[in-house]
Amino acid sequence: MEEEKSNSEGEEMRAKLFMTPAAKLIQAKERAESFAKNKEAHNACRELIRSVALTRIIYGDGHWRLAEALANLAHSYVMLQGLPVQAMHHANSAKNIIFMGKAYPSASADDRGNILSVLVTIYYTLGIANLMQKNGKESYHNLQKSEKFVKELQGSDFRGIPELKVSEKDLLAALGRASLQKNMLDLPAKHFEKAIDIIITSEGKSAPELIDLYLDMARSEQVKKNHEKSIGYLLQAHSLSVALHTKFSAGAASTALALGKAYAATGEEKYAEAAELYLGESLMSYKAALGMDHPKAIHALEYFSKWLGRVGKRKQAYDLLKESFKSQQDPCSDFNKLAVERLYIMGCICLAEEKIEEAYQLLSKCMQIQSAIYGPCHKKCKKVQELLDMLKM
């Protein structure tokens, strides 16, 4: 039995040794696709790097196939690993091969369709990478080019073109986010609405992708100060999130927080009750799903407590903040960065309530942690030090 196993392994090794580069390339592509489907980002990128090396061996440095391999690697870096710098480097290398080597204008009819699909991937990847780096102008410019090449492909009769890595709904959503980052007032909503229509038509009204798009629509309305419309989209997002993930989940907590912030942003007294309801729901859901020490839960708590302080509910805010420390034996012993803002808010509440001694103790703790983390000359430390100096006087 062991001898048969050894012979089998030996044959497998010999088969691998005598595989042609073309056969190895096919194998690497298949593995990369499989890993990508299973969200195994590191393994997928490893196989795509292998594909680039094998493509270079087979086709040489100036062939469009090498541009294709680099474009696929760039796309994987940005979509699977969230690495915009690496993605931009490889996408630009792919673009240079196509245009500097004149592969695109002089390509045969059969190759031209494939090159167009590669250009769609290149410019979409550059668009997403710039979006991640908060460069809305450059992002939108690249996404428009990707859209242009998609339309060119759709209006042609090229055969044998591989399936595009970029769907129409993803391109529309990206264009909406880039135009929102550019502070275009009306354009983002148009892109988002088209993406929403496509998803509802193909997947129904309960598709998970709709949550992010409703949140995007809400942001686009907030930019225009259309609070009522923004709240309407957020209610849709939260309702869908609760239906898909249950009320006490991180997803539902996120949409509840966005909804609470939207109600609070109106500044209208009639929405105060709704703001408190959803901000409180968000905090409870984060605590249940992630625990009170998680950064997302802390952020929800800080926002909620600040809002409570602004509307005159300082005791309620203070009690919530104090309660959050009970799970930690000593929040200051390890100079916990997450404790700083809470201590500062508590100190400010005590100051507003004219509890000077307690305010001084809390702000001193805050200053101690900030100095250890940022250094005593940091602007955050100077801000707290000014308060402490005032209290001394």
Side-chain angles (χ1 to χ4, degrees):
M1 192 76 175
E2 287 182 10
E3 189 177 341
E4 285 179 12
K5 186 180 177 182
S6 179
N7 288 336
S8 176
E9 288 175 353
E11 285 174 14
E12 190 178 333
M13 285 294 291
R14 281 192 292 275
K16 284 182 180 178
L17 285 170
F18 289 106
M19 276 178 74
T20 64
K24 288 181 179 179
L25 178 58
I26 292 169
Q27 187 184 69
K29 284 181 176 179
E30 288 173 351
R31 284 179 176 173
E33 193 174 330
S34 175
F35 285 132
K37 281 181 181 177
N38 294 323
K39 306 295 183 186
E40 295 180 47
H42 177 75
N43 289 331
C45 286
R46 185 190 64 201
E47 292 301 327
L48 288 167
I49 291 168
R50 185 172 287 134
S51 295
V52 170
L54 289 165
T55 304
R56 184 175 273 116
I57 291 167
I58 297 165
Y59 296 101
D61 286 332
H63 200 278
W64 69 265
R65 288 286 185 189
L66 180 59
E68 179 185 46
L70 286 165
N72 291 339
L73 177 59
H75 184 266
S76 179
Y77 269 128
V78 80
M79 301 308 294
L80 294 180
Q81 299 213 55
L83 300 172
V85 175
Q86 291 88 333
M88 289 171 74
H89 171 75
H90 293 300
N92 282 317
S93 296
K95 186 172 68 171
N96 289 338
I97 288 170
I98 289 176
F99 292 116
M100 299 297 286
K102 299 181 180 178
Y104 176 54
S106 62
S108 66
D110 289 338
D111 285 348
R112 191 173 172 83
N114 285 298
I115 292 170
L116 283 171
S117 70
V118 174
L119 288 168
V120 170
T121 303
I122 289 170
Y123 283 109
Y124 178 78
T125 300
L126 288 169
I128 296 298
N130 277 290
L131 189 64
M132 290 172 70
Q133 294 191 309
K134 310 296 182 187
N135 189 348
K137 184 179 179 181
E138 194 63 29
S139 173
Y140 195 76
H141 175 69
N142 282 293
L143 291 167
Q144 279 186 309
K145 285 190 174 182
S146 184
E147 185 181 38
K148 172 196 159 191
F149 289 120
V150 168
K151 287 177 180 176
E152 194 172 336
L153 273 170
Q154 288 171 343
S156 65
D157 57 353
F158 296 117
R159 295 177 184 176
I161 302 168
E163 186 181 348
L164 290 176
K165 288 188 172 291
V166 184
S167 67
E168 187 181 4
K169 63 185 179 183
D170 289 339
L171 186 52
L172 284 166
L175 281 163
R177 286 162 191 150
S179 57
L180 186 58
Q181 213 172 78
K182 279 185 73 179
N183 290 319
M184 297 177 173
L185 291 181
D186 297 317
L187 204 54
K190 290 177 182 177
H191 290 306
F192 293 139
E193 282 170 357
K194 287 179 184 177
I196 287 169
D197 287 343
I198 290 170
I199 292 170
I200 290 175
T201 302
S202 61
E203 301 173 46
K205 294 183 178 180
S206 298
E209 290 172 276
L210 289 171
I211 295 172
D212 283 339
L213 283 168
Y214 286 141
L215 291 170
D216 288 328
M217 281 294 290
R219 279 190 284 272
S220 70
E221 294 300 338
Q222 282 170 357
V223 170
K224 294 183 282 186
K225 307 295 182 184
N226 293 336
H227 295 297
E228 297 281 354
K229 282 188 176 181
S230 176
I231 288 168
Y233 285 116
L234 288 169
L235 284 167
Q236 285 181 277
H238 186 56
S239 176
L240 186 53
S241 188
V242 170
L244 291 171
H245 305 301
T246 75
K247 185 176 179 179
F248 295 108
S249 64
S254 176
T255 51
L257 180 60
L259 190 50
K261 285 181 176 182
Y263 277 118
T266 64
E268 297 182 35
E269 192 175 338
K270 65 179 180 178
Y271 290 130
E273 188 177 338
E276 185 170 351
L277 172 70
Y278 286 109
L279 290 173
E281 183 183 314
S282 172
L283 180 58
M284 286 174 61
S285 297
Y286 272 133
K287 282 172 70 175
L290 303 175
M292 192 58 246
D293 289 339
H294 195 279
K296 288 184 177 180
I298 297 296
H299 169 72
L301 170 63
E302 288 171 357
Y303 186 91
F304 189 23
S305 59
K306 284 178 183 177
W307 180 82
L308 286 169
R310 283 199 299 272
V311 297
K313 297 186 176 184
R314 291 194 286 260
K315 185 180 185 306
Q316 187 180 341
Y318 186 89
D319 290 344
L320 276 173
L321 291 160
K322 189 175 181 181
E323 179 71 23
S324 72
F325 284 117
K326 288 189 176 179
S327 63
Q328 298 169 281
Q329 291 183 355
D330 186 353
C332 304
S333 64
D334 58 352
F335 296 101
N336 186 348
K337 190 176 180 179
L338 295 174
V340 172
E341 187 67 15
R342 284 178 287 166
L343 289 168
Y344 178 75
I345 299 168
M346 289 171 75
C348 289
I349 289 171
C350 288
L351 193 57
E353 294 285 320
E354 297 184 2
K355 297 176 181 177
I356 306 302
E357 187 176 342
E358 192 174 349
Y360 188 86
Q361 289 175 349
L362 289 163
L363 291 170
S364 294
K365 283 184 182 180
C366 175
M367 181 67 181
Q368 182 187 8
I369 300 171
Q370 281 185 327
S371 296
I373 296 169
Y374 305 112
C377 296
H378 195 276
K379 62 181 179 180
K380 289 185 177 182
C381 296
K382 289 180 179 179
K383 181 182 175 182
V384 178
Q385 188 60 58
E386 286 174 6
L387 277 175
L388 288 169
D389 291 341
M390 182 189 74
L391 288 172
K392 281 180 183 177
M393 292 172 63

